[in-house]
Amino acid sequence: MASPGRIIVVRHGRPVLNRNEGPRLDWKAYRDWWSRYEQSPLADGQKCPDALIAEVREDAVLFSSVRPRAMQTADRLARGREVARDEVFNEAPLPPPRWRARYLPKTWNKIARVAWMMGHHDGDEHVRDAKARASKAPDKRVDKAGEGRDVVLAAHGWFNRMLRPELKKRGWTCVFDGGDKYWSYRIYQKR
């Protein structure tokens, strides 16, 4: 049997919508902003980091979520190879609480994430359901890595965080931690 390949989990590149820009939004406008963000492609003028490109081997199996920013990131890494897309890798939702305040999207992101983690979902996917989805996600990739090939996943910041304990439970160790910024990645190996 071949030795296990690596699992490389990548956060997508910088999308067109910028969470740091105004205007300040009320909760309804932020909800609309988040819907647009979920469909946002990558901003023009970005380049995959050379170090990341160098890690993606020719025989790697590539996956992405079905969100445009993740699909485009995976396509750049694939360099013409096939990418399997699956909604199981989509980002966890950010439903805002119905507050009267007005904030920048980046502030709403934090407020909505904390509220969501405490059980607020406002009709979106509940935190327990997202955790269940994250617990199943590694199984879609681990089988391929078990065949000795690297597996590369282009997904999302929070969802990638939810994958970490699931990979650890299955015996995967993070051997490279590139952080959580756009185009960042972590490499896992079986120990």
Side-chain angles (χ1 to χ4, degrees), residues 112-163:
R113 181 61 69 216
V114 169
W116 179 77
M117 290 174 61
M118 294 173 63
H120 171 75
H121 61 92
D122 201 22
D124 288 336
E125 182 181 40
H126 193 280
V127 64
R128 75 175 162 268
D129 298 327
K131 285 180 179 180
R133 180 167 55 94
S135 74
K136 295 175 189 167
D139 297 333
K140 296 206 175 244
R141 296 175 287 138
V142 170
D143 289 345
K144 293 293 181 189
E147 295 170 5
R149 296 170 68 189
D150 284 356
V151 172
V152 180
L153 168 66
H156 308 273
W158 195 261
F159 190 75
N160 290 353
R161 283 182 188 92
M162 294 173 67
L163 285 176

Short mmCIF file of all heavy atoms in Angstrom, two decimals, residues 112-163:
data_model
loop_
_atom_site.label_atom_id
_atom_site.label_comp_id
_atom_site.label_asym_id
_atom_site.label_seq_id
_atom_site.Cartn_x
_atom_site.Cartn_y
_atom_site.Cartn_z
N ALA A 112 -21.86 38.56 13.59
CA ALA A 112 -22.66 37.45 13.08
C ALA A 112 -22.03 36.09 13.41
O ALA A 112 -22.74 35.13 13.74
CB ALA A 112 -22.87 37.60 11.58
N ARG A 113 -20.70 36.00 13.34
CA ARG A 113 -20.04 34.73 13.64
C ARG A 113 -20.23 34.35 15.11
O ARG A 113 -20.54 33.20 15.43
CB ARG A 113 -18.55 34.79 13.29
CG ARG A 113 -17.81 33.49 13.53
CD ARG A 113 -18.33 32.32 12.72
NE ARG A 113 -18.05 32.49 11.32
CZ ARG A 113 -18.88 32.09 10.35
NH1 ARG A 113 -20.02 31.50 10.63
NH2 ARG A 113 -18.56 32.28 9.08
N VAL A 114 -20.06 35.30 16.01
CA VAL A 114 -20.25 35.02 17.43
C VAL A 114 -21.70 34.63 17.70
O VAL A 114 -21.98 33.65 18.39
CB VAL A 114 -19.81 36.22 18.30
CG1 VAL A 114 -20.24 36.03 19.75
CG2 VAL A 114 -18.30 36.41 18.22
N ALA A 115 -22.63 35.39 17.13
CA ALA A 115 -24.06 35.08 17.33
C ALA A 115 -24.38 33.69 16.78
O ALA A 115 -25.11 32.91 17.42
CB ALA A 115 -24.93 36.14 16.66
N TRP A 116 -23.85 33.37 15.61
CA TRP A 116 -24.09 32.07 15.00
C TRP A 116 -23.53 30.94 15.87
O TRP A 116 -24.18 29.92 16.08
CB TRP A 116 -23.47 32.05 13.60
CG TRP A 116 -23.61 30.77 12.86
CD1 TRP A 116 -24.72 30.30 12.22
CD2 TRP A 116 -22.60 29.78 12.67
NE1 TRP A 116 -24.47 29.09 11.64
CE2 TRP A 116 -23.16 28.75 11.91
CE3 TRP A 116 -21.26 29.68 13.07
CZ2 TRP A 116 -22.45 27.62 11.53
CZ3 TRP A 116 -20.55 28.56 12.69
CH2 TRP A 116 -21.14 27.55 11.93
N MET A 117 -22.34 31.15 16.40
CA MET A 117 -21.72 30.12 17.25
C MET A 117 -22.52 29.91 18.53
O MET A 117 -22.46 28.84 19.15
CB MET A 117 -20.28 30.49 17.56
CG MET A 117 -19.39 30.38 16.33
SD MET A 117 -17.72 30.98 16.60
CE MET A 117 -17.16 29.90 17.88
N MET A 118 -23.29 30.92 18.92
CA MET A 118 -24.13 30.81 20.12
C MET A 118 -25.53 30.28 19.79
O MET A 118 -26.39 30.21 20.65
CB MET A 118 -24.21 32.17 20.81
CG MET A 118 -22.86 32.61 21.35
SD MET A 118 -22.87 34.29 22.01
CE MET A 118 -24.01 34.13 23.36
N GLY A 119 -25.76 29.93 18.51
CA GLY A 119 -27.02 29.31 18.13
C GLY A 119 -27.94 30.15 17.25
O GLY A 119 -28.94 29.65 16.76
N HIS A 120 -27.63 31.41 17.03
CA HIS A 120 -28.46 32.26 16.16
C HIS A 120 -28.26 31.81 14.72
O HIS A 120 -27.13 31.68 14.25
CB HIS A 120 -28.05 33.73 16.31
CG HIS A 120 -28.69 34.63 15.31
ND1 HIS A 120 -30.01 35.00 15.39
CD2 HIS A 120 -28.20 35.21 14.18
CE1 HIS A 120 -30.31 35.78 14.37
NE2 HIS A 120 -29.21 35.92 13.62
N HIS A 121 -29.36 31.55 14.02
CA HIS A 121 -29.21 31.14 12.61
C HIS A 121 -30.20 31.83 11.68
O HIS A 121 -29.99 31.86 10.48
CB HIS A 121 -29.27 29.62 12.45
CG HIS A 121 -30.56 29.02 12.89
ND1 HIS A 121 -31.60 28.81 12.03
CD2 HIS A 121 -30.98 28.61 14.10
CE1 HIS A 121 -32.61 28.27 12.68
NE2 HIS A 121 -32.27 28.14 13.95
N ASP A 122 -31.29 32.35 12.20
CA ASP A 122 -32.25 33.14 11.40
C ASP A 122 -32.63 32.44 10.10
O ASP A 122 -32.70 33.05 9.04
CB ASP A 122 -31.68 34.54 11.14
CG ASP A 122 -32.78 35.55 10.80
OD1 ASP A 122 -33.95 35.31 11.16
OD2 ASP A 122 -32.45 36.58 10.18
N GLY A 123 -32.82 31.12 10.18
CA GLY A 123 -33.24 30.35 9.01
C GLY A 123 -32.09 29.80 8.18
O GLY A 123 -32.32 29.01 7.27
N ASP A 124 -30.86 30.21 8.45
CA ASP A 124 -29.69 29.66 7.75
C ASP A 124 -29.25 28.36 8.45
O ASP A 124 -29.83 27.96 9.46
CB ASP A 124 -28.53 30.67 7.77
CG ASP A 124 -28.77 31.85 6.85
OD1 ASP A 124 -29.54 31.71 5.89
OD2 ASP A 124 -28.17 32.91 7.11
N GLU A 125 -28.22 27.75 7.94
CA GLU A 125 -27.68 26.53 8.53
C GLU A 125 -27.29 26.78 9.99
O GLU A 125 -26.58 27.72 10.30
CB GLU A 125 -26.46 26.09 7.72
CG GLU A 125 -25.83 24.80 8.19
CD GLU A 125 -24.61 24.43 7.37
OE1 GLU A 125 -23.84 25.34 7.01
OE2 GLU A 125 -24.45 23.23 7.10
N HIS A 126 -27.76 25.93 10.87
CA HIS A 126 -27.44 26.03 12.30
C HIS A 126 -25.99 25.57 12.52
O HIS A 126 -25.47 24.75 11.78
CB HIS A 126 -28.40 25.15 13.10
CG HIS A 126 -28.38 25.40 14.56
ND1 HIS A 126 -27.42 24.89 15.39
CD2 HIS A 126 -29.21 26.14 15.35
CE1 HIS A 126 -27.65 25.28 16.63
NE2 HIS A 126 -28.73 26.04 16.64
N VAL A 127 -25.38 26.09 13.56
CA VAL A 127 -23.99 25.74 13.88
C VAL A 127 -23.83 24.23 14.05
O VAL A 127 -22.83 23.66 13.58
CB VAL A 127 -23.46 26.53 15.10
CG1 VAL A 127 -24.21 26.18 16.37
CG2 VAL A 127 -21.96 26.32 15.28
N ARG A 128 -24.77 23.56 14.66
CA ARG A 128 -24.63 22.10 14.86
C ARG A 128 -24.67 21.37 13.52
O ARG A 128 -23.98 20.37 13.33
CB ARG A 128 -25.68 21.57 15.83
CG ARG A 128 -27.05 21.45 15.29
CD ARG A 128 -28.05 20.80 16.26
NE ARG A 128 -29.38 21.12 15.83
CZ ARG A 128 -30.09 22.16 16.25
NH1 ARG A 128 -29.62 22.96 17.16
NH2 ARG A 128 -31.28 22.40 15.76
N ASP A 129 -25.47 21.88 12.57
CA ASP A 129 -25.52 21.26 11.24
C ASP A 129 -24.23 21.51 10.46
O ASP A 129 -23.76 20.63 9.73
CB ASP A 129 -26.74 21.78 10.47
CG ASP A 129 -28.05 21.43 11.16
OD1 ASP A 129 -28.12 20.35 11.79
OD2 ASP A 129 -28.99 22.24 11.09
N ALA A 130 -23.66 22.71 10.60
CA ALA A 130 -22.39 23.00 9.94
C ALA A 130 -21.28 22.14 10.52
O ALA A 130 -20.40 21.67 9.79
CB ALA A 130 -22.05 24.48 10.08
N LYS A 131 -21.31 21.92 11.84
CA LYS A 131 -20.30 21.04 12.46
C LYS A 131 -20.46 19.62 11.94
O LYS A 131 -19.46 18.93 11.70
CB LYS A 131 -20.42 21.10 13.98
CG LYS A 131 -19.87 22.37 14.56
CD LYS A 131 -20.00 22.38 16.08
CE LYS A 131 -19.43 23.66 16.66
NZ LYS A 131 -19.54 23.69 18.12
N ALA A 132 -21.69 19.17 11.79
CA ALA A 132 -21.93 17.82 11.25
C ALA A 132 -21.42 17.73 9.81
O ALA A 132 -20.81 16.73 9.42
CB ALA A 132 -23.41 17.48 11.31
N ARG A 133 -21.64 18.78 9.04
CA ARG A 133 -21.14 18.83 7.66
C ARG A 133 -19.61 18.80 7.65
O ARG A 133 -18.99 18.06 6.88
CB ARG A 133 -21.67 20.10 6.99
CG ARG A 133 -21.24 20.30 5.57
CD ARG A 133 -22.05 21.39 4.87
NE ARG A 133 -22.07 22.67 5.53
CZ ARG A 133 -21.24 23.68 5.27
NH1 ARG A 133 -20.28 23.52 4.36
NH2 ARG A 133 -21.36 24.83 5.88
N ALA A 134 -18.99 19.57 8.55
CA ALA A 134 -17.52 19.59 8.63
C ALA A 134 -16.98 18.23 9.06
O ALA A 134 -15.90 17.83 8.63
CB ALA A 134 -17.06 20.68 9.60
N SER A 135 -17.73 17.51 9.89
CA SER A 135 -17.25 16.20 10.35
C SER A 135 -17.26 15.17 9.21
O SER A 135 -16.48 14.23 9.22
CB SER A 135 -18.07 15.70 11.53
OG SER A 135 -19.34 15.26 11.12
N LYS A 136 -18.11 15.36 8.22
CA LYS A 136 -18.17 14.46 7.07
C LYS A 136 -17.21 14.86 5.96
O LYS A 136 -16.82 14.03 5.13
CB LYS A 136 -19.59 14.43 6.50
CG LYS A 136 -20.62 13.85 7.43
CD LYS A 136 -22.01 13.98 6.85
CE LYS A 136 -23.05 13.61 7.89
NZ LYS A 136 -24.39 14.00 7.49
N ALA A 137 -16.84 16.13 5.91
CA ALA A 137 -16.03 16.65 4.81
C ALA A 137 -14.70 15.94 4.62
O ALA A 137 -14.32 15.66 3.48
CB ALA A 137 -15.83 18.16 4.98
N PRO A 138 -13.94 15.64 5.69
CA PRO A 138 -12.65 14.98 5.46
C PRO A 138 -12.76 13.64 4.75
O PRO A 138 -11.86 13.24 4.02
CB PRO A 138 -12.07 14.80 6.87
CG PRO A 138 -12.72 15.85 7.68
CD PRO A 138 -14.12 15.98 7.10
N ASP A 139 -13.86 12.95 4.93
CA ASP A 139 -14.02 11.64 4.30
C ASP A 139 -14.03 11.74 2.78
O ASP A 139 -13.67 10.79 2.09
CB ASP A 139 -15.29 10.96 4.80
CG ASP A 139 -15.23 10.70 6.30
OD1 ASP A 139 -14.11 10.55 6.83
OD2 ASP A 139 -16.29 10.67 6.93
N LYS A 140 -14.39 12.88 2.26
CA LYS A 140 -14.39 13.07 0.81
C LYS A 140 -12.97 13.19 0.28
O LYS A 140 -12.73 13.03 -0.90
CB LYS A 140 -15.18 14.32 0.45
CG LYS A 140 -16.64 14.20 0.81
CD LYS A 140 -17.48 15.06 -0.06
CE LYS A 140 -18.93 14.83 0.24
NZ LYS A 140 -19.63 14.28 -0.87
N ARG A 141 -12.01 13.52 1.15
CA ARG A 141 -10.64 13.74 0.72
C ARG A 141 -9.67 12.69 1.22
O ARG A 141 -8.71 12.38 0.55
CB ARG A 141 -10.16 15.12 1.19
CG ARG A 141 -10.94 16.24 0.58
CD ARG A 141 -10.53 17.57 1.14
NE ARG A 141 -11.05 17.67 2.48
CZ ARG A 141 -10.38 18.16 3.50
NH1 ARG A 141 -9.17 18.62 3.35
NH2 ARG A 141 -10.91 18.23 4.69
N VAL A 142 -9.90 12.19 2.41
CA VAL A 142 -8.93 11.30 3.05
C VAL A 142 -8.71 10.04 2.23
O VAL A 142 -7.60 9.55 2.13
CB VAL A 142 -9.37 10.98 4.50
CG1 VAL A 142 -8.52 9.88 5.08
CG2 VAL A 142 -9.29 12.24 5.36
N ASP A 143 -9.75 9.53 1.59
CA ASP A 143 -9.60 8.32 0.79
C ASP A 143 -8.55 8.52 -0.31
O ASP A 143 -7.73 7.65 -0.55
CB ASP A 143 -10.92 7.91 0.16
CG ASP A 143 -11.91 7.38 1.18
OD1 ASP A 143 -11.48 7.06 2.31
OD2 ASP A 143 -13.10 7.28 0.86
N LYS A 144 -8.59 9.65 -0.97
CA LYS A 144 -7.61 9.92 -2.04
C LYS A 144 -6.21 10.07 -1.47
O LYS A 144 -5.24 9.59 -2.04
CB LYS A 144 -8.00 11.18 -2.82
CG LYS A 144 -9.27 11.03 -3.62
CD LYS A 144 -9.08 10.04 -4.73
CE LYS A 144 -10.36 9.91 -5.56
NZ LYS A 144 -10.31 8.82 -6.51
N ALA A 145 -6.09 10.76 -0.33
CA ALA A 145 -4.76 10.90 0.28
C ALA A 145 -4.25 9.54 0.73
O ALA A 145 -3.05 9.28 0.70
CB ALA A 145 -4.82 11.88 1.46
N GLY A 146 -5.15 8.65 1.13
CA GLY A 146 -4.76 7.31 1.52
C GLY A 146 -4.19 6.51 0.37
O GLY A 146 -3.48 5.54 0.57
N GLU A 147 -4.48 6.91 -0.86
CA GLU A 147 -3.95 6.24 -2.04
C GLU A 147 -2.56 6.76 -2.41
O GLU A 147 -2.02 6.40 -3.45
CB GLU A 147 -4.90 6.46 -3.23
CG GLU A 147 -6.26 5.81 -3.04
CD GLU A 147 -7.26 6.23 -4.10
OE1 GLU A 147 -6.89 6.96 -5.05
OE2 GLU A 147 -8.43 5.82 -3.98
N GLY A 148 -2.00 7.65 -1.57
CA GLY A 148 -0.66 8.15 -1.82
C GLY A 148 -0.59 9.44 -2.61
O GLY A 148 0.49 9.93 -2.91
N ARG A 149 -1.72 9.98 -2.97
CA ARG A 149 -1.75 11.23 -3.73
C ARG A 149 -2.09 12.38 -2.80
O ARG A 149 -2.85 12.22 -1.86
CB ARG A 149 -2.79 11.14 -4.85
CG ARG A 149 -2.44 10.07 -5.86
CD ARG A 149 -3.56 9.82 -6.82
NE ARG A 149 -3.77 10.97 -7.70
CZ ARG A 149 -4.82 11.06 -8.50
NH1 ARG A 149 -5.73 10.11 -8.54
NH2 ARG A 149 -4.97 12.12 -9.27
N ASP A 150 -1.54 13.56 -3.09
CA ASP A 150 -1.91 14.75 -2.34
C ASP A 150 -3.35 15.14 -2.67
O ASP A 150 -3.81 14.93 -3.80
CB ASP A 150 -1.01 15.93 -2.67
CG ASP A 150 0.36 15.84 -2.02
OD1 ASP A 150 0.60 14.90 -1.24
OD2 ASP A 150 1.18 16.73 -2.29
N VAL A 151 -4.01 15.71 -1.70
CA VAL A 151 -5.35 16.24 -1.87
C VAL A 151 -5.28 17.72 -1.55
O VAL A 151 -4.75 18.11 -0.51
CB VAL A 151 -6.36 15.52 -0.96
CG1 VAL A 151 -7.71 16.20 -1.00
CG2 VAL A 151 -6.48 14.06 -1.35
N VAL A 152 -5.80 18.55 -2.43
CA VAL A 152 -5.80 20.00 -2.25
C VAL A 152 -7.25 20.47 -2.22
O VAL A 152 -8.02 20.15 -3.13
CB VAL A 152 -5.03 20.72 -3.38
CG1 VAL A 152 -5.05 22.22 -3.18
CG2 VAL A 152 -3.60 20.19 -3.47
N LEU A 153 -7.59 21.21 -1.18
CA LEU A 153 -8.94 21.75 -1.04
C LEU A 153 -8.87 23.26 -1.00
O LEU A 153 -8.18 23.83 -0.15
CB LEU A 153 -9.60 21.25 0.24
CG LEU A 153 -10.90 21.97 0.63
CD1 LEU A 153 -12.00 21.71 -0.40
CD2 LEU A 153 -11.34 21.57 2.02
N ALA A 154 -9.59 23.93 -1.89
CA ALA A 154 -9.75 25.38 -1.84
C ALA A 154 -11.12 25.66 -1.24
O ALA A 154 -12.15 25.32 -1.84
CB ALA A 154 -9.63 26.00 -3.23
N ALA A 155 -11.13 26.24 -0.06
CA ALA A 155 -12.40 26.49 0.63
C ALA A 155 -12.35 27.86 1.31
O ALA A 155 -11.84 28.82 0.74
CB ALA A 155 -12.71 25.34 1.60
N HIS A 156 -12.82 27.92 2.55
CA HIS A 156 -13.11 29.20 3.19
C HIS A 156 -12.55 29.26 4.60
O HIS A 156 -12.38 28.24 5.27
CB HIS A 156 -14.62 29.41 3.22
CG HIS A 156 -15.23 29.25 1.87
ND1 HIS A 156 -15.32 30.27 0.97
CD2 HIS A 156 -15.74 28.16 1.25
CE1 HIS A 156 -15.87 29.83 -0.14
NE2 HIS A 156 -16.13 28.55 -0.01
N GLY A 157 -12.31 30.48 5.05
CA GLY A 157 -11.66 30.71 6.34
C GLY A 157 -12.29 29.98 7.51
O GLY A 157 -11.61 29.22 8.21
N TRP A 158 -13.57 30.19 7.74
CA TRP A 158 -14.18 29.59 8.93
C TRP A 158 -14.38 28.09 8.73
O TRP A 158 -14.14 27.30 9.63
CB TRP A 158 -15.50 30.26 9.29
CG TRP A 158 -15.88 29.87 10.67
CD1 TRP A 158 -16.77 28.90 11.04
CD2 TRP A 158 -15.32 30.37 11.88
NE1 TRP A 158 -16.80 28.78 12.40
CE2 TRP A 158 -15.93 29.68 12.94
CE3 TRP A 158 -14.37 31.34 12.17
CZ2 TRP A 158 -15.60 29.93 14.27
CZ3 TRP A 158 -14.05 31.59 13.49
CH2 TRP A 158 -14.67 30.88 14.52
N PHE A 159 -14.81 27.69 7.55
CA PHE A 159 -15.01 26.26 7.32
C PHE A 159 -13.70 25.51 7.46
O PHE A 159 -13.66 24.42 8.04
CB PHE A 159 -15.66 25.99 5.97
CG PHE A 159 -16.08 24.56 5.83
CD1 PHE A 159 -17.19 24.08 6.50
CD2 PHE A 159 -15.33 23.68 5.09
CE1 PHE A 159 -17.56 22.74 6.41
CE2 PHE A 159 -15.69 22.34 5.00
CZ PHE A 159 -16.81 21.88 5.66
N ASN A 160 -12.61 26.10 6.97
CA ASN A 160 -11.31 25.45 7.12
C ASN A 160 -10.96 25.27 8.59
O ASN A 160 -10.39 24.26 8.99
CB ASN A 160 -10.22 26.24 6.41
CG ASN A 160 -10.35 26.16 4.89
OD1 ASN A 160 -11.16 25.43 4.35
ND2 ASN A 160 -9.54 26.94 4.21
N ARG A 161 -11.32 26.26 9.43
CA ARG A 161 -11.10 26.13 10.88
C ARG A 161 -11.91 24.96 11.45
O ARG A 161 -11.44 24.26 12.33
CB ARG A 161 -11.52 27.41 11.60
CG ARG A 161 -10.55 28.53 11.50
CD ARG A 161 -11.06 29.74 12.32
NE ARG A 161 -10.24 30.89 12.09
CZ ARG A 161 -10.47 31.81 11.16
NH1 ARG A 161 -11.52 31.71 10.36
NH2 ARG A 161 -9.65 32.84 11.02
N MET A 162 -13.11 24.79 10.93
CA MET A 162 -13.96 23.70 11.42
C MET A 162 -13.41 22.33 11.01
O MET A 162 -13.68 21.33 11.67
CB MET A 162 -15.39 23.88 10.90
CG MET A 162 -16.07 25.12 11.48
SD MET A 162 -17.67 25.47 10.72
CE MET A 162 -18.62 24.07 11.28
N LEU A 163 -12.64 22.28 9.94
CA LEU A 163 -12.04 21.02 9.48
C LEU A 163 -10.87 20.58 10.35
O LEU A 163 -10.59 19.38 10.45
CB LEU A 163 -11.54 21.17 8.05
CG LEU A 163 -12.58 21.17 6.94
CD1 LEU A 163 -11.90 21.42 5.61
CD2 LEU A 163 -13.34 19.86 6.91
#
